[in-house]
Amino acid sequence: MSTQTPAAPAARRPADPIPGRIRAKRPPRPGTWISAVIVALLVLGLANFLVTNPVFDWGTVATFILDVKVVQGVGWTLLITVLSMILGTAIALTAAIMRRSENPVLRGVSWAYIFVFRGTPVYTQLVFWGLFTVIVPKLALGVPFGPELFSFSTRDYFPAFWAAVVGLALNEGAYLAEIIRSGLNSVDKGQTEASKALGMSNGKILRRIIIPQAMRVIVPPLGNETIGMLKTTSLVLAVPFTLDLTFASNAIANKLYAPIPLLIVAALWYLAITSVLMVGQHFLERYFGRGFDDRTGSPAAKRSRQSAVNRAGTTPKDSLPEVEL
């Protein structure tokens, strides 16, 4: 009598928690992989071209990337950018408020300013401001058609640096005025009506209600204009102002007869500064976009909003009583 060992039971698949579910597979997409390989080969070829081409002379780039004149040019470029944007934003805010005024004279002056400075090239405007001390050699204060009480030479108080700042600010203010005006118009009129019902003055409504809400619309194009201003500073040679980054790198290139490596030096500095500005723009957009941006729906954002509601003390700590019907 022979005995047989019972066969081991076959392994069972785990039960599907959703019976009848279709197990679909993604269709093959060879075109995507072929495109990725082609792009990768092109990138590798470009990298090899940049590294092996002797024209770029990366040794010279490394030598002058932190040169004293170049670093000083970066400092002057940043200073011109910051001052021009601050002054241009103040001018733009004033012009935008004037465009919204009920006074036809204020609206006409604002429109004429925007029309002139948006309609002429920035290079031409910078040349004009560079010749301002020739056009207006002296400013005087006195009795009309009578003796002068006070006068000073514009050449002593209006150097090339301030000519560049004023020229760039006035040009930028004309563009920012329309951006700010559109941002102010994006705020619902009911906000103004409700604020007036609370007894707030027009100035306080503008400062406390309208502008904070309009910043959500204003900040993205304002960040783009700031980056554009950084690059527009390369035109201040028209004033002429000769301490900015572009002029400093060109001066070194003319001495070495090596324009391409010094152009790369300037481009790398502009890219680095632009990257920092883009990061700052991102955080500003996130700050002023609170409550409007769908991406802030993360659990952490919800907890922060709930904690802000709790700190406000506008909701009862105890749960609401149940109502039996």
Side-chain angles (χ1 to χ4, degrees):
M1 184 176 179
S2 62
T3 59
Q4 293 182 351
T5 305
R12 295 182 178 179
R13 291 183 178 180
D16 194 343
I18 305 177
R21 179 175 58 177
I22 298 176
R23 296 181 176 274
K25 294 183 179 180
R26 292 184 178 181
R29 297 180 178 178
T32 302
W33 291 103
I34 294 174
S35 302
V37 171
I38 294 175
V39 172
L41 292 176
L42 291 176
V43 170
L44 290 175
L46 177 62
N48 179 69
F49 170 76
L50 294 176
V51 173
T52 58
N53 194 328
V55 176
F56 295 111
D57 194 1
W58 293 104
T60 302
V61 173
T63 301
F64 289 95
I65 191 71
L66 295 177
D67 185 78
V68 175
K69 295 294 185 182
V70 172
V71 175
Q72 289 178 350
V74 172
W76 282 108
T77 297
L78 287 175
L79 183 60
I80 293 175
T81 301
V82 172
L83 292 178
S84 299
M85 287 305 300
I86 292 175
L87 182 58
T89 303
I91 295 172
L93 180 60
T94 303
I97 295 174
M98 291 171 63
R99 286 290 302 273
R100 289 163 52 91
S101 174
E102 297 179 357
N103 191 319
V105 177
L106 296 179
R107 291 201 308 269
V109 171
S110 176
W111 179 87
Y113 159 71
I114 294 173
F115 173 76
V116 171
F117 283 90
R118 286 178 62 186
T120 54
V122 61
Y123 189 87
T124 303
Q125 296 176 30
L126 290 174
V127 172
F128 172 83
W129 288 108
L131 297 174
F132 180 77
T133 56
V134 178
I135 300 171
V136 185
K138 182 178 71 172
L139 290 176
L141 178 64
V143 179
F145 307 104
E148 295 181 357
L149 301 178
F150 176 78
S151 65
F152 62 91
S153 174
T154 56
R155 190 180 299 274
D156 298 332
Y157 296 94
F158 198 69
F161 171 78
W162 287 110
V165 170
V166 171
L168 291 175
L170 287 172
N171 178 265
E172 187 63 32
Y175 289 91
L176 286 180
E178 293 299 287
I179 293 174
I180 293 177
R181 185 174 67 89
S182 63
L184 297 178
N185 291 337
S186 67
V187 180
D188 190 82
K189 293 183 179 180
Q191 301 283 335
T192 303
E193 296 173 357
S195 301
K196 288 183 178 180
L198 294 174
M200 298 177 66
S201 62
N202 291 332
K204 194 171 185 179
I205 293 173
L206 185 66
R207 295 192 310 270
R208 302 292 299 274
I209 305 298
I210 304 300
I211 292 180
Q213 296 186 63
M215 289 300 293
R216 178 179 63 91
V217 179
I218 294 174
V219 166
L222 180 62
N224 293 336
E225 290 295 322
T226 303
I227 294 173
M229 173 63 72
L230 173 70
K231 294 178 287 187
T232 307
T233 55
S234 60
L235 299 177
V236 294
L237 179 62
V239 172
F241 181 76
T242 58
L243 296 176
D244 66 296
L245 174 59
T246 299
F247 187 89
S249 59
N250 285 341
I252 298 174
N254 293 334
K255 291 181 181 179
L256 299 177
Y257 297 101
I260 295 180
L262 271 301
L263 285 175
I264 295 175
V265 168
L268 291 177
W269 272 110
Y270 280 118
L271 285 173
I273 300 171
T274 301
S275 301
V276 176
L277 292 177
M278 291 175 65
V279 172
Q281 177 183 347
H282 166 73
F283 285 104
L284 282 177
E285 289 183 15
R286 192 171 69 174
Y287 176 79
F288 287 106
R290 292 173 301 173
F292 294 92
D293 197 344
D294 294 336
R295 292 172 297 178
T296 57
S298 61
K302 291 179 180 178
R303 287 195 299 270
S304 63
R305 287 198 294 269
Q306 185 60 44
S307 62
V309 172
N310 295 337
R311 287 195 302 270
T314 56
T315 56
K317 295 182 180 179
D318 299 331
S319 59
L320 296 176
E322 296 182 359
V323 179
E324 295 182 0
L325 300 177

